Every structure is written in C-alpha cells, then in structure tokens.
C-alpha cells in the first residue's frame, strides 16, 4: 500500500517527488511511480489547471499510488475547501505571510471542531462511501495535510508563529518568490537568502513540522538536504521534458556533424 501524504510529511525521512504544471495525462500516476516518486506537487497557481482538471488528475495519480499535494490558486477559503472536496489529500497555500492567514487556512481545510469547512459527504474526498458523519469528519481532519508556503520577507518574520499553529503540517520555502521579496531575485547563495532559509528551517524543526522545497539540480538538492528539507520536489514536468529532449536532440546533431 502506498504511504499517505501525512505519513510522508511526518516521517522525517526523504520524500522525493516532482512538480506538475503542464502534463496530467491519465498515465501520469504510473509514470511517476515508475520513476520512483513518493509524491507529486500539482500546481494550480501558475498552470491554469481548472478544478475539474485537478479532480481528474488526482484520480490518475491515485491510480499510480502517488500521494498528491495541490497548490491552490489563492488563499481564499472556498478554493481551499473545494480542492479538498474534489479529493486533494494535501493543500498548499502560496504567499503566507501572517498568522491570521495561516489560521484561516486551517479553518477552511478542517471540519468542526478544528475548523469551519462546509460538510459534504459521499463525494470525491471520501470516495463516495457511506458511513457515520462524525467518524468521517474526524477521519478527514486526520488525513488532510496543510502546507504553507513561506516566500516573502513577512512570512520569514512570522515563520515561527505559523509553524507553532496546530493544523499546519509543513512549511515550504518558495525560493524564487522569497529571493524576489528580499530584493535579490535568483541569488540563492546571497547571505540574506541563506539567513531567511535558516530561520524558516529552525521554526519548522522547533515545532516538529515538515520542511519542503523544489530543487533543480544535485548541488541545490544537497544543500537543501543539509538545511533540513525532507520534502523535495525534483524539477517540473515541462522543464524536465525540455531538458531531456534538448540533450537527445543535441546528441543527434552531434552525430550528424560527425
């Protein structure tokens, strides 16, 4: 049986996945499983994926045994709840910079008494199965995973308070947005970026929360591991395909040149 997303987040061991922003074909779950992925990071913020597309994609990924974290396109309660209702095991919020936003996210994702999510049963999120309502709400609260993205200077300042909040399972460093917020876009070796990363990592460790980020190369991955990140997404579908095809095409042109 595949691990749940929550068990991956809480394990403290490496959970290796990848970022999906372009391709969610019916075979994607089996493709990622064959590649050895532990999870998928499915993006709605930058992809243009609709809720209906995500609802299908979650079933494709489930078929391959791939737990999936969905980045919602906003921090609005109705987006969070809707994605959970269509079957997202984990929800990620972008640009979280305050404790108020974090609390609202917990309330939107969790059913009473933990939150205020509207109740709809025997739909996608509970596999259309009948059962006692109280047990279903408790099971959903236990199963769902909330990951908050720290990707602004404000978020770094509030990282410890956010990490301490019950219902938050992990912090995820949005490295490009964070570097831009700090006024050093793309300068991931800059002391200001390194200090911001250190503070977020320390906050997560102090409160026993997971730590995630996206990496695009071996050196970056090694540093992230040393920093304490255990949820690591290796590149993204469009970039990985382009890089692989570019390498192959380059070799063909080299052969043709003799």
């Amino acid at each position: 049986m595949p691990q749940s997303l929550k068990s991956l987040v809480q394990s403290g061991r490496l959970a290796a996945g990848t970022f999906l922003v372009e391709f969610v074909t019916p075979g994607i779950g089996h493709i990622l499983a064959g590649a050895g992925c532990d999870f998928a990071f499915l993006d709605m913020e930058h992809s243009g994926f609709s809720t209906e597309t995500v609802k299908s994609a979650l079933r494709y990924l489930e078929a391959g045994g791939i737990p999936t974290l969905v980045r919602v396109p906003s921090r609005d309660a109705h987006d969070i709840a809707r994605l959970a209702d269509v079957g997202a095991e984990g929800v990620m919020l972008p640009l979280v910079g305050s404790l108020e936003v974090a609390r609202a996210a917990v309330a939107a994702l969790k059913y009473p008494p933990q939150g205020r999510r509207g109740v709809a049963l025997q739909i996608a999120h509970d596999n259309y199965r009948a059962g006692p309502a109280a047990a279903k709400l408790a099971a959903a609260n236990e199963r769902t995973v909330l990951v908050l993205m720290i990707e602004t200077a404000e978020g770094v300042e509030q990282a410890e308070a956010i990490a301490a909040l019950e219902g938050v399972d992990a912090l995820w460093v949005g490295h490009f947005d964070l570097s831009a917020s700090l006024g050093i876009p793309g300068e991931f070796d800059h002391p200001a970026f390194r200090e911001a990363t250190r503070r977020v990592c320390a906050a997560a460790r102090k409160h026993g929360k997971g730590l995630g980020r996206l990496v695009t190369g071996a050196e970056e991955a090694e540093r992230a591991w040393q920093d304490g990140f255990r949820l690591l997404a290796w590149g993204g579908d469009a970039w990985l395909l382009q890089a692989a095809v570019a390498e192959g095409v380059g070799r063909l042109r080299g052969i043709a040149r003799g």
Side-chain angles (χ1 to χ4, degrees), residues 28-29 34 56 62-63 88-89 110 147 164-165 175 195 208 225 253:
I28 191 64
S56 297
E62 181 184 53
E89 191 175 353
K110 302 296 185 180
V147 179
L165 186 63
H175 58 297
E195 174 59 15
W225 177 264
R253 297 199 188 284

Side-chain angles (χ1 to χ4, degrees), residues 106 109-110 114 144-147 164-170 209:
V106 173
L109 181 62
K110 302 296 185 180
Q114 222 176 324
T144 50
V145 172
L146 179 62
V147 179
L165 186 63
E166 183 180 358
V168 174
D169 295 287
K209 303 300 171 73

Side-chain angles (χ1 to χ4, degrees), residues 94-207:
L95 297 166
V96 177
S98 72
L99 187 57
E100 180 184 19
V101 169
R103 283 180 175 144
V106 173
L109 181 62
K110 302 296 185 180
Y111 290 118
Q114 222 176 324
R116 298 189 299 273
R117 177 177 163 191
V119 178
L121 302 177
Q122 286 185 253
I123 59 173
H125 76 87
D126 60 359
N127 286 321
Y128 309 94
R129 304 293 175 84
K136 280 180 166 285
L137 301 192
N141 281 351
E142 176 60 28
R143 180 179 66 252
T144 50
V145 172
L146 179 62
V147 179
L148 301 181
M149 298 194 74
I150 306 298
E151 45 187 348
T152 63
E154 294 79 9
V156 173
E157 292 299 319
Q158 294 295 313
E160 183 168 341
I162 292 168
L165 186 63
E166 183 180 358
V168 174
D169 295 287
L171 304 183
W172 188 286
V173 171
H175 58 297
F176 263 112
D177 276 303
L178 179 55
S179 69
S181 176
L182 295 171
I184 47 170
E187 296 184 42
F188 305 123
D189 291 324
H190 193 285
F193 180 83
R194 294 298 301 149
E195 174 59 15
T197 299
R198 185 199 65 76
R199 292 180 63 183
V200 176
C201 293
R205 283 194 299 269
K206 179 177 178 179
H207 297 286

